[in-house]
């Protein structure tokens, strides 16, 4: 990449190497998403970046449009950042994520974050992520057949993925408004 040499044809030259706390090293892009929890899990906001963009760099953008009444944000360890905890408090919700190692000079504020994360409530909140965000991303990829991506280039990939999220939101909303028994059952509407 540094030399600008493409080792073989077919490689997306806009894609980058990055590390995902859930998937390890990957080459390509990342979908950053917030989602509701409960009986109906839907995307609330999303952003799309190259894989080398750190999770904490998009947190402000994906949490800004969240509706009033959000109490907790469950996230993976890539969001363990003091600035993000403060941003969350300013937006009137709590960020709950694995907190990195404790040192002898760890502040009392950070120790409180660790204590809450390790509490029964903190673990319950964090467990919501495993039944909301990760399965939702996989469901969207499956419904819209976007893994692997069928396009190359950041702009095309971002357009395809974010449009898929938007269409997903619209169809689930439509299904709720028309009182469908299973609002997330949308493949039939897409002809899949």
């Amino acid at each position: 990449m540094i030399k600008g040499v493409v080792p073989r044809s077919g490689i997306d030259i806009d894609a980058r190497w990055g590390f995902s706390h859930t998937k390890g090293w990957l080459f390509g892009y990342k979908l950053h998403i917030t989602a509701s929890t409960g009986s109906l899990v839907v995307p609330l906001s999303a952003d799309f970046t190259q894989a080398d963009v750190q999770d904490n760099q998009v947190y402000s953008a994906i949490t800004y449009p969240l509706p009033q009444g959000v109490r907790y944000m469950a996230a993976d360890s890539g969001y363990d950042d003091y600035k993000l905890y403060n941003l969350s408090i300013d937006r009137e919700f709590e960020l709950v994520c694995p907190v990195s190692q404790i040192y002898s000079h760890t502040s009392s504020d950070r120790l409180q974050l660790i204590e809450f994360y390790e509490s029964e409530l903190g673990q319950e909140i964090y467990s919501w992520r495993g039944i909301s965000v990760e399965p939702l991303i996989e469901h969207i990829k499956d419904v819209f057949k976007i893994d692997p991506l069928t396009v190359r280039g950041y702009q095309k990939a971002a357009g395809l993925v974010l449009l898929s999220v938007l269409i997903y939101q619209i169809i689930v909303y439509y299904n709720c408004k028309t009182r469908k028994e299973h609002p997330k059952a949308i493949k039939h509407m897409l002809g899949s």
Side-chain angles (χ1 to χ4, degrees):
M1 291 184 120
I2 293 170
K3 292 179 183 179
V5 176
V6 180
R8 64 179 173 82
S9 65
I11 292 176
D12 185 343
I13 60 172
D14 288 347
R16 297 290 180 264
W17 280 102
F19 186 79
S20 163
H21 292 277
T22 56
K23 304 212 186 279
W25 285 100
L26 55 93
F27 181 76
Y29 303 100
K30 284 200 255 187
L31 173 60
H32 306 269
I33 199 164
T34 64
S36 62
T37 57
S39 60
L40 182 61
V41 176
V42 291
L44 299 175
S45 65
D47 199 359
F48 186 81
T49 64
Q50 293 166 313
D52 64 343
V53 174
Q54 299 300 311
D55 294 337
N56 62 356
Q57 294 174 308
V58 297
Y59 185 78
S60 180
I62 64 172
T63 60
Y64 178 76
L66 294 178
Q68 292 290 89
V70 171
R71 292 194 55 208
Y72 300 104
M73 175 66 58
D76 69 25
S77 58
Y79 295 91
D80 179 25
D81 181 326
Y82 191 73
K83 291 177 187 174
L84 302 185
Y85 291 110
N86 289 334
L87 177 67
S88 300
I89 290 167
D90 290 346
R91 294 187 177 164
E92 301 179 354
F93 58 84
E94 285 186 61
L95 172 60
V96 179
C97 66
V99 181
S100 64
Q101 197 168 336
I102 303 171
Y103 300 98
S104 59
H105 59 278
T106 302
S107 71
S108 61
D109 290 348
R110 191 150 178 82
L111 291 173
Q112 287 177 333
L113 292 170
I114 294 167
E115 187 177 317
F116 181 74
Y117 170 74
E118 292 177 349
S119 72
E120 191 174 322
L121 176 59
Q123 288 297 291
E124 180 181 341
I125 292 166
Y126 184 70
S127 74
W128 298 342
R129 191 177 177 287
I131 58 173
S132 62
V133 174
E134 292 302 324
L136 176 61
I137 290 172
E138 293 306 315
H139 185 59
I140 291 171
K141 285 180 189 178
D142 177 55
V143 167
F144 294 96
K145 310 283 189 249
I146 55 174
D147 189 18
L149 287 171
T150 56
V151 296
R152 289 192 199 112
Y154 174 76
Q155 293 297 327
K156 289 179 183 177
L160 177 63
V161 171
L162 292 175
L163 185 58
S164 297
V165 172
L166 177 62
I167 292 170
Y168 185 90
Q169 289 172 311
I170 291 169
I171 294 174
V172 170
Y173 178 76
Y174 172 81
N175 284 343
C176 287
K177 291 303 269 184
T178 57
R179 304 193 190 294
K180 299 284 188 222
E181 188 175 342
H182 302 289
K184 286 176 57 177
I186 65 175
K187 281 186 176 184
H188 70 283
M189 295 181 78
L190 300 170
S192 301

